[in-house]
Amino acid sequence: MPEGHEHDLNALAKATVILVNLRPEEIKPGTNRNWTHNGIVAYSKICTHVGCPAALYEQNTHHILCPCHQSTFDATDGARVVFGPAARPLPQLPIGVDAEGYLIAMGDFPVPVGPSYWERGDAEAGAHGGGS
C-alpha cells in the first residue's frame, strides 16, 4: 500500500498491484523496461473493463486473467489485452529498489487505474455502457 495513505480508501483502491517475475528475454517492447527491476514488472490488478481484480496468473503463457468477464492481458507485453472486453492494457507501475534492496514504486501510475470509464469523462462512459 502507498506509504502514508494507509487510511485513504481511494488511494488503497488504486494500490492493488500484481508483481510478475519474468526472464529478461521474455519482456516484449510493450513493457517499459525502465520501469522493471531484474525482470520484475508491476501492473495494476484493477481490470480496465469494469474494475474486477485481474489477479489470476497463468505462468506458462504469462497471461493475467480477470475472472469476471475473462479479459486476458499479456504480462510480457505491457499487459496488452489479448482476449475479452477490456479496451486497454493494465497500467504498468514504475518500480525500482531502495537503498536496502526493497522493491518500491518510483512514481504513480502514468494513466488512470481501473475501468476505462473512470476519470475519462462521459463520452467514453457512454461507449462502454456507463459502467453497467
Side-chain angles (χ1 to χ4, degrees):
M1 71 182 62
E3 188 175 349
H5 296 278
E6 293 83 359
H7 302 289
D8 180 346
L9 296 181
N10 286 328
L12 293 177
K14 295 179 180 182
T16 308
V17 173
I18 185 169
L19 296 171
V20 181
N21 193 359
L22 303 167
R23 291 189 301 268
E25 64 271 14
E26 294 173 321
I27 299 174
K28 297 177 184 169
T31 305
N32 186 332
R33 288 178 179 267
N34 294 328
W35 294 355
T36 68
H37 178 75
N38 289 340
I40 300 171
V41 63
Y43 296 110
S44 168
K45 281 196 321 191
I46 310 298
C47 184
T48 56
H49 178 231
V50 293
C52 295
L56 300 174
Y57 179 69
E58 187 177 70
Q59 187 173 4
N60 291 335
T61 62
H62 301 297
H63 287 168
I64 301 167
L65 174 72
C66 179
C68 293
H69 302 102
Q70 288 71 51
S71 288
T72 307
F73 306 89
D74 185 348
T76 66
D77 197 12
R80 72 177 171 84
V81 179
V82 294
F83 180 79
R88 62 187 180 97
L90 297 172
Q92 184 180 351
L93 182 69
I95 59 170
V97 293
D98 66 11
E100 297 176 14
Y102 290 102
L103 280 175
I104 59 169
M106 300 299 288
D108 201 352
F109 288 100
V111 297
V113 169
S116 293
Y117 55 84
W118 281 7
E119 301 177 19
R120 294 199 171 243
D122 293 335
E124 190 167 338
H128 294 285
S132 309

